[in-house]
Amino acid sequence: GTQVTVEIHHEDTSPQLFKRHSLGKGSQRLRGHDNKGFQRAEAPRPPGAKDLHAYPWDKSSLKSMPVDLQQFEKLDAYALKVNVKNSVEELVKALLKQARTDLEKVRAIWMWICHHIEYDVVGYHNKSQLSSKPRDVLQMGKSICEGYAELFEHMCSLAGIQCKKLSGHAKGHGYKTGQTFTGDSDHAWNAVYLEGRWHLLDSTWGSGSVDDSFTKFTYRYNEFYFLTHPALFINNHFPDNSNWQLLKPTLTLKEFENNMLHNSNFYTLGLLATHPETPIIQTVNGKASVSVHCRPGTLFMFKLKGTDEHGLMTLKKHGMKLDIYPQKTGSHKLEIFAKPSKAEASDDVYKCVVEYVVECGSVDKDMRFPKDLHQPVGPSWFSERQGFLRPSHREPVLHTNDGRCSLTFTLGKDISVLTSLHGDGSSLAEDMGRRHVLQIHRGNQIELKVHLPHAGSFVLKIYSKKKSDPGNYDYVFNYLIRCLNTEVKWPAFPQSYSKWLQDYEILEPLSGLLPANRNVQFKLKMHGIAKVLVQAEDTHALTQNRGCWEGTCNTSGCREVFVLVHENANHSFYSHVLKYEVETQ
């Protein structure tokens, strides 16, 4: 379905024809050399079968040829220091002093342009005053994409390297998700011929970025746009001439418009794919789902209309899964951010890697989440790394009908755990939130028993620290716990004091609120103690039986019941370990 025009020339004339084209004005100069003694580049040949790369991307390399950036370190440093502004020829001569191969020559030119030419935001708004001639661009030290591409092409041709300026549509500044492209092309970039193949690069985007209001340019070097793999370059560059996609098969403009925009951060952070692959998502019954596939060890966050309240994100070993429940109908911008978990300080920020538009037709009011819910939700490789191994519940949400649930983990060495339960609104004060979760330790196993004070949605937050560290507890992860049963009304667990050791266990009574005027049975698992007393109106001693201390106590006439222990038979000193409340009459 493609129209092809074929011209046939006598074999002697065809190189000349192209030659004149590549030299432009003044083709009467010495053949093959210009008067300044540069070896002129051969006429660019159009791309052919051996230039093409398979589409979609095979997830192998970000570049279209093997490049060892460490080997460029010296050359890069040299190129940055070259300071020649009087003529393009002098500049190229200075840059080539340290470059031997064609790849090194292209690299030196690329590095110099990316760090010395800034984007002309004023000129962009007033194009009539603007010259894209290489000499003017060099003198001014700034230009728009057209000038970057022309300077690059001219410097390469002086260095004897085939290079072509390409133009087309780009998903660059001002691009809106899902928009169509009409009319003239709006961006320019280059193709260079190295080691027998054509390669793509964009020195405008390699040099930095412009702010949202398009009034300020910031130098921020971006390696991604140097010899980018064509299957990735097509993500945001669509050339007027489809042969210059260097792809097999080529994409249509419609496909380009509908494809997801993955920016350079997406690939630089080692992300591989997103699902869905279309940028506009419709909710189904008030819900939309997104997932990202990546190499292990990546952390994520998201914002829907600037907040992360209306979603449930879970971290997976190879990426993340996100369910979104917008609480208003209409169009919402969804941004997904990522960062490596073992980042250098300089990279320790979340960068936006992909954007969707979520179109919501109906709202699922039942999927409102508590304010205290922290993303991601549920256990993951990250909580494992913090020492919470073999979780009994791998899902982020726990549903309970009777208002009780129990979770177990195997704990790594030397870990002390802190937990708290958070409800919506002010239904749970912080100190009470801690008392609705009971920790039980058996060897390296920990069980967390949760008793909900009423129906609704709750967040169980889990913190930890090294036992040997004096410092604070660090937040690790959380679960969402849901209960629809309105009959549910569990009292808190008894309050424990510092002498209540981690491996003690309450068998009964588990409720921190005891009935009035009753005989209550006590059964506590404790070791290394001389004596245990339960103090109500009267004091009752518990007796030891197979590792447990047992006995009864009557609750009449008192508001509180304490459990005290006598650690050493020779001392008369007792320590409080537990406190129970008694129901009022």
Side-chain angles (χ1 to χ4, degrees):
T2 309
Q3 288 272 306
V4 177
T5 311
V6 179
E7 290 184 24
I8 299 171
H9 298 270
H10 190 279
E11 62 178 348
D12 296 342
T13 62
S14 94
Q16 193 54 45
L17 238 165
F18 280 119
K19 198 130 242 168
R20 186 172 318 136
H21 176 75
S22 74
L23 284 174
K25 298 193 187 92
S27 53
Q28 275 63 48
R29 291 176 186 163
L30 296 172
R31 187 177 167 138
H33 288 261
D34 69 13
N35 334 12
K36 301 211 170 66
F38 278 105
Q39 169 65 50
R40 269 294 181 171
E42 284 298 302
R45 71 160 178 82
K50 66 174 180 177
D51 299 298
L52 304 185
H53 293 256
Y55 181 86
W57 182 47
D58 62 6
K59 301 187 170 61
S60 59
S61 161
L62 301 183
K63 302 213 181 277
S64 52
M65 66 187 281
V67 170
D68 181 355
L69 295 178
Q70 280 174 317
Q71 286 194 328
F72 283 149
E73 278 175 5
K74 266 179 148 154
L75 177 65
D76 289 353
Y78 170 77
L80 296 194
K81 289 200 187 76
V82 169
N83 187 14
V84 176
K85 292 278 170 85
N86 50 347
S87 83
V88 184
E89 285 80 3
E90 292 300 315
L91 172 60
V92 173
K93 262 187 191 144
L95 286 171
L96 295 193
K97 277 189 182 132
Q98 295 287 319
R100 287 176 303 285
T101 64
D102 281 359
L103 174 59
E104 286 175 357
K105 291 173 188 177
V106 169
R107 178 71 178 186
I109 293 168
W110 158 267
M111 279 316 260
W112 193 91
I113 291 180
C114 287
H115 290 84
H116 293 85
I117 306 296
E118 60 175 288
Y119 194 85
D120 187 350
V121 281
V122 179
Y124 173 81
H125 296 293
N126 184 9
K127 293 200 177 67
S128 61
Q129 303 297 307
L130 207 61
S131 163
S132 297
K133 289 203 174 78
R135 195 182 58 213
D136 300 332
V137 173
L138 181 64
Q139 234 92 78
M140 295 287 293
K142 55 179 161 187
S143 183
I144 59 170
C145 57
E146 198 76 19
Y148 279 89
E150 286 196 20
L151 179 60
F152 204 99
E153 182 182 45
H154 184 55
M155 287 174 74
C156 282
S157 83
L158 290 173
I161 288 158
Q162 293 187 46
C163 176
K164 194 163 166 47
K165 184 186 98 180
L166 305 174
S167 53
H169 293 292
K171 294 182 180 177
H173 187 85
Y175 168 74
K176 296 270 185 289
T177 301
Q179 78 171 58
T180 55
F181 291 91
T182 50
D184 294 343
S185 56
D186 54 23
H187 191 51
W189 58 93
N190 297 94
V192 289
Y193 194 73
L194 291 169
E195 298 182 16
R197 268 182 120 169
W198 282 106
H199 302 271
L200 302 169
L201 46 80
D202 184 341
S203 57
T204 312
W205 289 11
S207 65
S209 56
V210 174
D211 66 342
D212 289 340
S213 59
F214 217 81
T215 50
K216 182 171 177 294
F217 169 81
T218 310
Y219 277 115
R220 190 179 295 117
Y221 174 69
N222 194 339
E223 177 61 47
F224 182 73
Y225 292 107
F226 179 68
L227 312 183
T228 316
H229 193 294
L232 302 182
F233 204 74
I234 192 66
N235 198 5
N236 42 21
H237 292 75
F238 189 83
D240 293 336
N241 175 345
S242 62
N243 290 339
W244 285 107
Q245 293 179 20
L246 306 185
L247 291 176
K248 174 170 93 218
T250 52
L251 273 72
T252 63
L253 181 59
K254 192 91 210 110
E255 289 172 309
F256 173 72
E257 289 168 349
N258 292 339
N259 270 357
M260 273 312 293
L261 173 59
H262 298 317
N263 60 21
S264 59
N265 294 331
F266 183 92
Y267 297 107
T268 314
L269 285 167
L271 309 191
L272 299 167
T274 52
H275 187 82
E277 290 186 331
T278 47
I280 296 172
I281 320 174
Q282 317 287 341
T283 58
V284 178
N285 301 329
K287 170 184 173 182
S289 297
V290 170
S291 59
V292 178
H293 183 62
C294 66
R295 301 194 164 89
T298 311
L299 295 170
F300 291 90
M301 60 178 265
F302 73 93
K303 291 246 156 55
L304 182 74
K305 272 204 159 161
T307 158
D308 68 357
E309 285 171 31
H310 307 302
L312 204 61
M313 182 176 85
T314 48
L315 269 192
K316 306 281 179 213
K317 187 179 175 195
H318 291 285
M320 69 90 154
K321 187 174 180 308
L322 171 61
D323 293 329
I324 289 284
Y325 302 90
Q327 292 299 305
K328 282 191 182 136
T329 55
S331 282
H332 307 273
K333 178 158 105 169
L334 169 64
E335 299 165 289
I336 293 170
F337 303 83
K339 74 170 187 181
S341 60
K342 295 190 168 94
E344 328 284 293
S346 61
D347 286 339
D348 200 23
V349 286
Y350 280 99
K351 293 185 179 147
C352 183
V353 288
V354 69
E355 281 185 23
Y356 285 95
V357 172
V358 179
E359 294 189 342
C360 177
S362 66
V363 169
D364 183 351
K365 289 278 183 230
D366 293 337
M367 292 309 276
R368 284 208 177 124
F369 299 116
K371 287 223 178 351
D372 281 300
L373 189 66
H374 196 79
Q375 308 288 347
V377 186
S380 66
W381 56 265
F382 183 76
S383 53
E384 258 181 40
R385 198 189 276 179
Q386 309 295 318
F388 291 83
L389 313 169
R390 303 193 193 85
S392 55
H393 295 70
R394 293 201 171 272
E395 291 304 309
V397 187
L398 283 92
H399 297 275
T400 163
N401 189 38
D402 71 354
R404 296 183 296 183
C405 56
S406 152
L407 302 94
T408 60
F409 303 92
T410 301
L411 282 186
K413 282 192 183 64
D414 184 39
I415 288 178
S416 177
V417 178
L418 183 73
T419 52
S420 59
L421 190 71
H422 303 258
D424 245 350
S426 56
S427 64
L428 262 182
E430 192 172 341
D431 54 333
M432 283 311 283
R434 296 223 173 110
R435 285 185 47 201
H436 277 273
V437 190
L438 181 69
Q439 291 186 31
I440 300 164
H441 292 259
R442 300 182 186 97
N444 61 354
Q445 286 265 326
I446 181 175
E447 181 187 354
L448 303 177
K449 276 189 195 293
V450 181
H451 286 185
L452 300 180
H454 51 78
S457 290
F458 294 86
V459 180
L460 170 65
K461 292 201 170 184
I462 300 172
Y463 303 79
S464 78
K465 74 179 185 77
K466 280 200 153 67
K467 283 180 190 162
S468 47
D469 280 1
N472 293 333
Y473 283 86
D474 289 324
Y475 167 79
V476 183
F477 64 122
N478 59 182
Y479 283 93
L480 179 62
I481 302 178
R482 306 203 108 147
C483 177
L484 300 174
N485 180 356
T486 50
E487 307 286 294
V488 161
K489 191 179 178 209
W490 290 100
F493 293 105
Q495 191 172 342
S496 60
Y497 298 103
S498 60
K499 291 281 184 186
W500 178 264
L501 301 184
Q502 215 175 40
D503 49 359
Y504 291 177
E505 190 179 335
I506 305 172
L507 297 173
E508 58 182 345
L510 275 178
S511 165
L513 189 62
L514 304 178
N517 306 324
R518 273 298 159 74
N519 280 332
V520 176
Q521 182 71 30
F522 276 78
K523 190 171 182 185
L524 308 169
K525 224 181 199 169
M526 292 143 74
H527 56 81
I529 288 168
K531 209 167 173 192
V532 181
L533 303 178
V534 177
Q535 183 185 10
E537 176 103 61
D538 304 317
T539 301
H540 309 259
L542 301 185
T543 53
Q544 195 170 9
N545 179 14
R546 288 206 220 97
C548 288
W549 293 84
E550 301 178 50
T552 52
C553 138
N554 191 289
T555 59
S556 35
C558 65
R559 302 288 305 276
E560 295 172 329
V561 173
F562 291 95
V563 177
L564 301 92
V565 298
H566 195 69
E567 292 169 69
N568 187 325
N570 303 329
H571 292 184
S572 59
F573 186 72
Y574 281 89
S575 307
H576 287 69
V577 288
L578 295 174
K579 171 185 165 187
Y580 290 84
E581 315 273 327
V582 178
E583 282 176 349
T584 47
Q585 297 292 299

